[in-house]
Amino acid sequence: MRGAHAIGPVSGHNVQQTAHRLPISIQENDVRILFASSEAQPLIKTGGLADVSGSLPVALSHLDQDVRLILPAYRGTLDKCADPRSVAALSLPGTDAPVEILESRLPNSDVVLYLVHSPRHFDRPGGPYSGTDGHDWPDNAERFAVFGRAACAVAQAQAGIDWRPEVVHCNDWQTGLVPALLELG
């Protein structure tokens, strides 16, 4: 992988095994970290992942790390963000419509928030993974593949954003393609 290091279940290693081999120290000032997650408190929550994804980036920023959070722009999420603005439009495999990257701040923090705005994939009633009937969205694999490709575009400085992470921190299955796609590069 060129330019960024992925932390996550890569090549059968757990997070701790992968993280300890990184050629940087998280104790250095201003490590650039892209924190990819499918949910973060207070924007969208189904369980503990949202608690961690809403608090760990804030804690890392308090340790002088340049951490940015990337999430899907679910219905209702945009209403909870202060003045989201479009910073990129991407053409990605898996969708025929442009995918926008919107920038805001995680509420009650200084953490930069990127929202992957693909209405066809994320502007729906119900929860992030299932409809109002409680059944999983049948296109979840496609939805989160688009999210993963957008996160990779940001990580690889292909989104036109003047920032590139040194570490990409991935959380749960919804970001599972990100380390593989970054490795392919």
Side-chain angles (χ1 to χ4, degrees), residues 43-61:
L43 299 173
I44 182 78
K45 178 181 168 82
T46 66
L49 174 61
D51 296 325
V52 171
S53 298
S55 61
L56 184 54
V58 174
L60 288 169
S61 73

Side-chain angles (χ1 to χ4, degrees), residues 25 45 55 72 79 89 120-122 132 140 152-153 157 162 164 175 177:
S25 168
K45 178 181 168 82
S55 61
D79 297 335
R120 176 178 149 217
H121 295 101
F122 302 116
T132 55
N140 272 341
C152 286
D162 189 23
R164 187 170 187 166
T175 62
L177 280 179

Side-chain angles (χ1 to χ4, degrees), residues 34-37 68-73 78 81 83-92 95 97-105 112-119 122 143 145-163 178:
L34 181 63
F35 197 96
S37 184
R68 299 178 187 200
L69 175 62
I70 188 166
L71 295 171
L78 294 174
C81 295
D83 303 318
R85 64 182 180 89
S86 181
V87 294
L90 308 170
S91 292
L92 298 172
T95 185
V99 174
E100 277 188 291
I101 303 294
L102 307 177
E103 183 178 312
S104 185
R105 298 278 174 181
V112 172
L113 173 66
Y114 296 128
L115 295 166
V116 177
H117 187 54
S118 180
F122 302 116
R143 296 170 69 227
V146 168
F147 173 63
R149 287 182 177 113
C152 286
V154 171
Q156 294 172 319
Q158 297 172 347
I161 298 169
D162 189 23
W163 182 83
V178 174

